[in-house]
Amino acid sequence: MRKHNFSAGPAALPDAVLRQAQEEFRDWNNTGASVMEHSHRGEHFLQVATEAENDLRNLLDISDDYAVLFMHGGATAQFAAIPLNLLGTAKTANYLESGHWSRRAIKEAEIYCQPNIVAQLNNNKQGINLPPIAQWRIDDKAAYFHCVYNETIDGLELESFPDVNMPLLVDCSSNILSRPMPVERFSVIYAGAQKNIGPAGLAVVIIRRDLLDRAHPLTPSILNYGTVATAKSMHNTPPTFAWYLSGLVFKWLLAEGGLLAMQEKNKRNAASLYETIDSVDLYSNNLAKSVRSKMNIPFLLADERLNKPFLEQADENGLLGLKGHRSVGGMRASIYNAVPIESVQVLVAFMRTFAKEHG
Ligand SMILES: *Cc1c(COP(=O)(O)O)cnc(C)c1O
């Protein structure tokens, strides 16, 4: 029996996609071999690769001004690829520090430059929040502006982006494809696959083509955006199975009604979880309402000693992956595209019953 999966990443995949992959696992498209056993340069896999890119372009409405890259190494490889490719002669780059993953991006950037931290989290009576954009200290001479759209661990999703006179780069690892987004607003959009796209091992990078030729001469070729773009993401052997499965997810999203349909479902799921957390005394979420994530919802129990029984009983009720990140504690429900409304209904009902029994 498959359980209701709230894992943060690797995370739930659509059941229909897993079934299809299972059906064609050993003999794919009547080729007599699995997709993993074909050359990445053969006509069969090339078709998978092309369709995946086209379907992603359709879903996000990506214009031809952008290249779409399928790269190795998850989002963490991009933390290095970005300064290597985009610093140019600048000594600094702007980084918004909105939580765990922006700190990881900053730490990697420190190898290559002196990042300028434009703003950090504060905690006032509205809860954990960022200062208003007008107060951010943006360095106009920096090479670019980097931010994390959705902080997967902290549960903070940006409300808006600053107008800057430099490339605006965004890590969308945990909220890409959760709803439509204005691609043209950004110079680089990137995401590790294992949250809202497909299996781990792959990152999608959407990059304005005029930024493809700026890499530092010491950039490793597999991290060089220009090299990867010219080779159509096949400078070396790509993670073919992850690419194929991500392609199946894109087709599933299109069949489900695209990103507007996902937005509707995700909004409903987030609203019913926050409503439960806010109305039941046992639970709390300490982020300012305006920046609460619609994808990763952390919550604390009023008494830490209840964490263990909560997780045990959740598991008995078929609810998986609710333990919060060790740096934050408590619980976290990740409600990506593949998490259906019924799963959140089961979770909410469980949370209310648990609170009645332990409140
Ligand atoms: C998970 C995550 C990362 C790191 O992804 P890896 O694929 O493990 O490198 C980076 N940024 C965000 C926002 C994430 O959620």
Side-chain angles (χ1 to χ4, degrees):
M1 224 253 322
R2 284 182 48 81
K3 295 186 175 178
H4 304 286
N5 191 344
F6 299 95
S7 295
L13 287 161
D15 202 48
V17 166
L18 294 176
R19 282 178 191 279
Q20 184 181 344
Q22 182 182 45
E23 212 157 275
E24 55 198 31
F25 193 65
R26 294 177 63 253
D27 181 6
W28 171 62
N29 274 351
N30 298 316
T31 59
S34 78
V35 69
M36 289 171 285
E37 298 168 298
H38 278 278
S39 163
H40 56 295
R41 303 194 192 279
E43 54 167 325
H44 295 291
F45 189 78
L46 285 181
Q47 182 160 350
V48 167
T50 308
E51 279 182 31
E53 176 177 336
N54 290 341
D55 289 340
L56 181 62
R57 284 184 180 276
N58 255 332
L59 282 164
L60 277 169
D61 199 12
I62 304 169
S63 80
D64 201 46
D65 295 341
Y66 290 79
V68 174
L69 312 178
F70 291 82
M71 295 179 71
H72 294 273
T76 302
Q78 299 307 314
F79 292 165
I82 284 167
L84 280 165
N85 281 274
L86 301 177
L87 266 179
T89 54
K91 298 274 176 293
T92 186
N94 292 305
Y95 278 80
L96 175 66
E97 187 181 329
S98 54
H100 176 93
W101 288 114
S102 22
R103 282 191 287 275
R104 287 284 296 269
I106 290 163
K107 196 147 193 286
E108 194 73 19
E110 281 169 352
I111 300 173
Y112 308 101
C113 70
Q114 267 192 322
N116 171 52
I117 312 301
V118 304
Q120 290 171 305
L121 297 176
N122 57 41
N123 195 352
N124 55 31
K125 50 184 187 313
Q126 273 98 46
I128 295 171
N129 204 348
L130 281 164
I133 289 180
Q135 290 172 20
W136 295 3
R137 296 171 305 268
I138 299 171
D139 184 339
D140 285 334
K141 290 193 282 298
Y144 55 81
F145 183 102
H146 177 276
C147 55
V148 174
Y149 200 161
N150 183 66
E151 286 283 0
T152 319
I153 290 173
D154 308 72
L156 178 145
E157 196 161 5
L158 298 183
E159 290 173 272
S160 50
F161 298 89
D163 289 311
V164 286
N165 60 355
M166 64 191 74
L168 179 59
L169 325 179
V170 66
D171 176 355
C172 286
S173 292
S174 49
N175 67 348
I176 193 168
L177 302 175
S178 66
R179 56 175 182 271
M181 72 183 281
V183 170
E184 308 284 327
R185 186 88 173 68
F186 304 93
S187 294
V188 180
I189 296 169
Y190 68 97
Q194 72 274 22
K195 276 98 184 203
N196 215 12
I197 297 179
L202 182 75
V204 166
V205 180
I206 301 160
I207 178 169
R208 254 184 31 216
R209 291 192 196 276
D210 59 308
L211 296 176
L212 291 173
D213 59 358
R214 303 193 180 179
H216 187 278
L218 291 177
T219 305
S221 57
I222 65 162
L223 290 183
N224 185 313
Y225 291 144
T227 305
V228 174
T230 304
K232 295 192 180 312
S233 303
M234 295 195 187
H235 176 62
N236 69 330
T237 314
T240 51
F241 188 75
W243 194 337
Y244 149 82
L245 210 86
S246 299
L248 294 186
V249 171
F250 299 152
K251 290 199 187 298
W252 174 81
L253 285 170
L254 288 165
E256 289 287 301
L259 303 192
L260 280 169
M262 284 303 125
Q263 178 173 35
E264 259 334 285
K265 176 193 72 74
N266 293 335
K267 239 195 219 165
R268 271 181 69 181
N269 276 348
S272 82
L273 260 168
Y274 281 120
E275 202 273 319
T276 306
I277 292 165
D278 290 340
S279 64
V280 179
D281 281 343
L282 184 65
Y283 307 114
S284 63
N285 166 286
N286 53 14
L287 282 107
K289 289 208 162 117
S290 59
V291 293
R292 281 176 161 183
S293 169
K294 287 167 276 308
M295 285 279 101
N296 306 93
I297 303 186
F299 57 96
L300 298 171
L301 274 60
D303 180 350
E304 268 187 25
R305 286 168 302 184
L306 291 175
N307 285 351
K308 202 163 167 258
F310 182 94
L311 288 168
E312 281 166 6
Q313 290 175 39
D315 190 59
E316 286 160 18
N317 282 271
L319 300 160
L320 262 188
L322 287 165
K323 191 169 197 272
H325 191 268
R326 60 191 183 279
S327 64
V328 180
M331 306 298 151
R332 170 175 48 169
S334 297
I335 46 172
Y336 299 122
N337 286 341
V339 177
I341 285 175
E342 304 80 70
S343 289
V344 172
Q345 285 169 341
V346 174
L347 171 59
V348 162
F350 167 74
M351 287 170 69
R352 289 184 185 276
T353 307
F354 185 87
K356 271 204 199 97
E357 286 164 3
H358 298 87

